[in-house]
Amino acid sequence: MIQQRLLALLSGSFLRFLLVGVFNTLVGLSASFVFFNVLHLNYWLSTFAGNTLGAIVSYTLNRTFTFRSNASVGSSWWKFAIIILSCYGLSYSCGLLLAEAAGVLWPELRADWLHNGAILVGNGLYTIGNYLGHKYFTFRANGPTSRGVS
């Protein structure tokens, strides 16, 4: 029974979401690290700019490939933006709080290592929140005209 549920999850929208996420991560997370480590922008500007680039890729691929949504761009883009911004604020704030707590526990850790760790943790939380938000809010199936979400 558990194996069947796991197989259904991996063959449906979650697997497609993960595939899109790999590509999206190459864009957004890589950009965040470049903005932070190469351009030396601050944590918030780096993660926001990287996630903005990733969000453009994410919206397009998740709407058409992951959730196969028939929702119009006009009715879905604002929902997408709400989920993206909410997940961004919550996820990266949690990542930064955890990094600050780690800095108190291990004061010998360098600040840039803590911030890079915060970016990674924030990105993981952001991914989970985005999947749930887009599946159940942005691109949810709304009756017979939608192709459905598996």
Side-chain angles (χ1 to χ4, degrees):
M1 183 101 175
I2 294 174
Q3 187 177 18
Q4 289 174 340
R5 286 185 183 176
L6 183 60
L7 186 59
L9 180 67
L10 292 177
S11 66
S13 63
F14 189 69
L15 179 61
R16 291 189 300 268
F17 184 81
L18 290 176
L19 291 172
V20 167
V22 167
F23 182 69
N24 186 47
T25 297
L26 289 173
V27 174
L29 186 57
S30 298
S32 292
F33 282 127
V34 167
F35 292 137
F36 184 75
N37 292 299
V38 176
L39 300 178
H40 305 290
L41 300 178
N42 72 39
Y43 174 82
W44 288 111
L45 190 54
S46 297
T47 58
F48 188 80
N51 279 283
T52 298
L53 291 174
I56 294 166
V57 171
S58 179
Y59 176 80
T60 303
L61 293 176
N62 280 314
R63 183 176 177 276
T64 58
F65 174 68
T66 303
F67 300 110
R68 300 176 181 164
S69 176
N70 285 332
S72 71
V73 172
S75 70
S76 61
W77 74 266
W78 65 270
K79 294 176 185 177
F80 187 87
I82 288 171
I83 296 299
I84 290 287
L85 291 172
S86 298
C87 289
Y88 170 77
L90 291 170
S91 300
Y92 285 94
S93 292
C94 287
L96 192 55
L97 286 172
L98 289 171
E100 289 171 354
V104 169
L105 292 172
W106 298 286
E108 68 278 2
L109 290 176
R110 293 179 15 193
D112 60 332
W113 283 54
L114 291 169
H115 284 109
N116 280 297
I119 291 171
L120 284 173
V121 169
N123 189 262
L125 295 171
Y126 179 81
T127 299
I128 294 165
N130 269 295
Y131 175 74
L132 295 172
H134 295 318
K135 179 175 175 95
Y136 295 109
F137 181 65
T138 309
F139 301 120
R140 75 172 179 254
N142 288 325
T145 59
S146 76
R147 288 181 257 169
V149 175
S150 56

